[in-house]
Amino acid sequence: MATYIVLLGPPGVGKGTQAKILAKQIGLVHISTGDLFRENIKNQTELGQLSQRYINKGQLVPDDVTIGMLKERISRSDCELGAVMDGFPRTLKQAEAFKIILDSMGDDVSIVPYIKASDKVLIERLSGRWTCRKNGHIFHSVFKPPQEEGICDKDGSELYQRDDDTVETAKKRLKVYVERTSPLIAYYKNQGILVEVQGEQAIEALAKDILAIVKK
Ligand code: AMP
């Protein structure tokens, strides 16, 4: 049976960073629907053009589009052992569709680490975030500045600010999170697979907590 881990939590809580660390530690692929959309935007695909309209406004891409894209991704052979899910599911409809997709493969979500943080911290983090163009490495103007401004420490590529990482869009994204995604907390709690973890701590400490939850 494959292992599917869903990292749940508000935008800016560190899901992307943690999902990458965790996936590497336990040898699973990292699936970020946000990254998949951004890749499509970069390649100017039809899906990219459609999704960009929603993403730039801090809105969610429609469920049918997102679920279709995810279904295709999960059917690839590198997901045979499972995956660390980052940013999916984000609505109850997506969670239900995900359950059906996994069910058809004889699988289910194994565990849901739910990373928490206050709105104040989230807005601070989101609006100072810089992302590397080549590999998506993440920096922060206050909490994790790169050695050289505008350049990724890890691969030397340019750092850019995502269109959806401004203060206004950050607030909008948090509102959308409360309305559309936070019902998933109860959804997974009822299934007995949700475990809360404090997100307001250093990256390494949080990674350690998440790994402990997953190993249990
Ligand atoms: P992220 O990189 O996970 O913060 O996602 C960036 C943006 O992509 C979000 O604000 C949404 O507009 C869109 N997006 C990513 N994942 C989903 C999803 N599961 N459902 C709908 N929209 C999504």
Side-chain angles (χ1 to χ4, degrees), residues 109-153:
V109 173
S110 310
I111 189 93
V112 182
Y114 163 43
I115 315 172
K116 293 174 81 167
S118 69
D119 279 6
K120 187 173 164 277
V121 165
L122 295 171
I123 290 170
E124 253 169 29
R125 284 194 190 168
L126 284 170
S127 51
R129 182 156 77 174
W130 290 81
T131 306
C132 118
R133 247 202 230 281
K134 203 164 166 202
N135 292 305
H137 297 126
I138 293 164
F139 295 85
H140 193 280
S141 49
V142 180
F143 306 115
K144 196 189 169 197
Q147 282 176 358
E148 194 179 334
E149 200 184 307
I151 307 282
C152 176
D153 288 353

Side-chain angles (χ1 to χ4, degrees), residues 33-34 37-38 55 59 61 66 87-88 90 94 162 173:
T33 38
F37 285 129
R38 281 185 289 277
I55 293 174
Q59 294 170 351
V61 178
T66 307
F88 184 94
R90 246 179 168 100
Q94 290 178 16
R162 277 170 42 178
R173 290 175 69 198

Side-chain angles (χ1 to χ4, degrees), residues 177-196:
Y177 169 78
V178 170
E179 286 170 6
R180 310 277 311 273
T181 308
S182 66
L184 294 184
I185 299 165
Y187 176 82
Y188 285 122
K189 207 179 231 172
N190 288 340
Q191 294 178 26
I193 52 174
L194 186 104
V195 185
E196 283 186 17

Side-chain angles (χ1 to χ4, degrees), residues 11 55-58 122-130 160-174:
I55 293 174
N56 287 356
K57 283 190 264 178
L122 295 171
I123 290 170
E124 253 169 29
R125 284 194 190 168
L126 284 170
S127 51
R129 182 156 77 174
W130 290 81
Y160 75 105
Q161 189 152 44
R162 277 170 42 178
D163 289 336
D164 56 347
D165 279 344
T166 61
V167 174
E168 270 324 294
T169 319
K171 284 186 181 160
K172 168 84 190 164
R173 290 175 69 198
L174 287 175

Side-chain angles (χ1 to χ4, degrees), residues 45-79:
T45 66
E46 207 174 309
L47 177 64
Q49 279 167 8
L50 189 151
S51 55
Q52 189 165 28
R53 293 204 300 269
Y54 297 93
I55 293 174
N56 287 356
K57 283 190 264 178
Q59 294 170 351
L60 294 186
V61 178
D63 282 334
D64 53 343
V65 177
T66 307
I67 292 165
M69 178 178 75
L70 189 276
K71 207 169 170 182
E72 189 281 321
R73 179 64 190 89
I74 219 114
S75 69
R76 293 193 219 156
S77 59
D78 61 350
C79 293

